[in-house]
Amino acid sequence: MTAPPTAPIRYSLWQLTRYFLRLGALGFGGPVALVGYMHRDLVEQRGWIAEADYKEGIALAQIAPGPLAAQLAIYLGYVHYRVLGATAAGLAFVLPSFLMVLALGWAYRTLGGLPWMQAVFYGVGAAVIGIMAISAHKLATRNLKSDRMLWAIFAALALVTIITQSEIAWLFIAAGLLVWLSRCRPRPSPGALGAALPLPLPLLPAATDPGLLLQLTVFFAKAGAFVFGSGLAIVPFLYGGIVSEHHWLTDKQFVDAVAVAMITPGPVVITTGFIGYLVAGLPGACLAALATFLPCYLITVLAAPHFKKHGKRPGLMAFVDGITAAAIGAIAGSVVVLAQRSLTDLPTALLAICTAGLLWRWKTLPEPVIVAGAALLGIALFPLTHRF
């Protein structure tokens, strides 16, 4: 039987690289919003990526460790242009925000802090909640449709995330197995199960050299290799090592670093570059960012061929659907967790609601315009709401 013709690629590698450069420079809202933008732009509007490829990518990003949005960008680059595409997409997505946090790190050290950051984050943090909420709603309605089991998984993972304020990786795999067993009723077969499970992860050696740069590199490599999910999951890990264990930063400096991640576009985890700069200057920033993103790049590129080869099998499709439902549920739960931290009074709550309303009414409204407006409102309102 003759194999069906392969669909022509509708975009060049340079077009894909330009897209991820733009997303890295203008994409606000954290991992929830960023994965939503990729679906809207690359699947719905441009038609460059098939829905099935997108779902495989987001499932892989959830079952493998590392930052969600960066992993999805790497996978989508791999879909048609393999390792070269994955490399170009990953670098283009991370580079703009890395350069921004470098500039902010220089200003922070030179000027002794960023006094305006609290005011900007006051407004931007609230608007980001509205952006994230709309993105989570779109992902849920688009991927779960009317499947009751998927909606039940979504609700369960959202509740767990809200209660624990973290993302529990094994629940994603359990959700995938549940849907797989429900739909396929498979006979026991070690080979079939092996095709659906993620690849084992190599253990990283412990740091033995007391040199600061080596300590930074090993610590952030562990963060990139062993922390699952979005910035919501990696922040507690970073705090425990950076503030409590190594005492590289104070509590206030760490909070400022997290704020920098929220007010800059691109992946939230890029705050590792800002932290590295505060600890050890430019070499520290480069090593911290590289160590954080390299493990997820390698894991994604190594696992992608297996997803491409077996992705159309009914058993794996069911497994992916279950993980996707769990991932979207965890993302929705993280919106609630972050809202509890960002919506501190009536003005921020109203700003989040207005942002969601604007995006609901005008679906093509550019998010950078909303973020810029929220920053200006924050600068105006913060002195009025925080008088001492």
Side-chain angles (χ1 to χ4, degrees):
M1 181 180 293
T2 304
T6 303
I9 301 174
R10 302 177 59 182
Y11 60 95
S12 67
L13 180 59
W14 172 237
Q15 285 178 306
L16 186 70
T17 303
R18 281 193 306 173
Y19 169 76
F20 279 111
L21 279 171
R22 183 180 183 279
L23 184 64
L26 301 175
F28 289 90
V32 179
L34 290 170
V35 298
Y37 301 156
M38 292 181 208
H39 188 280
R40 178 195 66 190
D41 299 336
L42 300 179
V43 179
E44 292 181 346
Q45 296 182 356
R46 292 173 171 83
W48 291 354
I49 302 294
E51 180 75 37
D53 289 323
Y54 177 87
K55 289 178 68 176
E56 289 168 9
I58 201 168
L60 175 59
Q62 284 293 341
I63 63 176
L68 173 69
Q71 284 177 299
L72 181 58
I74 293 167
Y75 186 86
L76 296 182
Y78 184 91
V79 167
H80 290 125
Y81 288 98
R82 298 302 185 258
V83 174
L84 183 59
T87 306
L91 286 175
F93 182 54
V94 172
L95 186 60
S97 54
F98 175 70
L99 295 176
M100 291 179 197
V101 298
L102 272 185
L104 288 172
W106 174 84
Y108 192 97
R109 292 183 66 179
T110 303
L111 304 176
L114 299 176
W116 51 266
M117 186 180 295
Q118 282 186 312
V120 170
F121 182 65
Y122 178 75
V124 172
V128 162
I129 298 302
I131 294 172
M132 292 170 65
I134 291 297
S135 297
H137 174 267
K138 289 180 179 178
L139 284 172
T141 54
R142 184 181 300 118
N143 288 281
L144 308 186
K145 297 182 173 64
S146 58
D147 192 309
R148 293 183 179 180
M149 175 174 286
L150 296 184
W151 279 105
I153 292 171
F154 166 88
L157 266 292
L159 185 62
V160 168
T161 302
I162 293 169
I163 293 173
T164 64
Q165 300 197 1
S166 65
E167 295 174 351
I168 303 175
W170 66 265
L171 289 179
F172 299 139
I173 298 174
L177 291 175
L178 178 63
V179 177
W180 178 54
L181 290 168
S182 173
R183 292 183 184 176
C184 301
R185 307 179 189 277
R187 291 171 296 180
S189 172
L193 182 59
L197 294 179
L199 298 174
L201 301 178
L203 293 178
L204 295 178
T208 55
D209 191 314
L212 181 58
L213 289 178
L214 181 58
Q215 284 184 323
L216 275 173
T217 302
V218 172
F219 173 75
F220 284 109
K222 289 178 179 178
F226 297 111
V227 177
F228 290 77
S230 66
L232 176 68
I234 204 171
V235 167
F237 181 89
L238 293 179
Y239 179 86
I242 292 164
V243 179
S244 302
E245 180 182 350
H246 295 291
H247 307 290
W248 287 329
L249 299 182
T250 65
D251 281 312
K252 182 183 183 304
Q253 288 174 323
F254 183 80
V255 171
D256 287 346
V258 175
V260 164
M262 295 301 294
I263 66 173
T264 52
V268 171
V269 181
I270 200 60
T271 190
T272 57
F274 182 84
I275 293 169
Y277 190 93
L278 295 188
V279 177
L282 181 60
C286 294
L287 287 173
L290 180 64
T292 302
F293 287 98
L294 185 59
C296 80
Y297 166 80
L298 294 175
I299 292 168
T300 304
V301 168
L302 290 173
H306 302 284
F307 266 71
K308 296 307 300 173
K309 182 178 180 180
H310 303 288
K312 302 302 184 289
R313 293 186 178 183
L316 186 56
M317 290 177 68
F319 184 74
V320 168
D321 282 344
I323 288 183
T324 301
I328 298 172
I331 287 170
S334 72
V335 174
V336 176
V337 174
L338 292 175
Q340 293 172 343
R341 301 173 183 176
S342 299
L343 309 184
T344 55
D345 51 25
L346 182 59
T348 50
L350 291 176
L351 183 54
I353 293 171
C354 289
T355 298
L358 287 172
L359 290 173
W360 183 276
R361 176 64 180 83
W362 291 284
K363 294 179 172 54
T364 59
L365 186 63
E367 287 82 6
V369 173
I370 294 178
V371 170
L376 294 176
L377 284 174
I379 293 172
L381 293 175
F382 187 79
L384 301 178
T385 58
H386 291 72
R387 290 178 176 174
F388 298 99

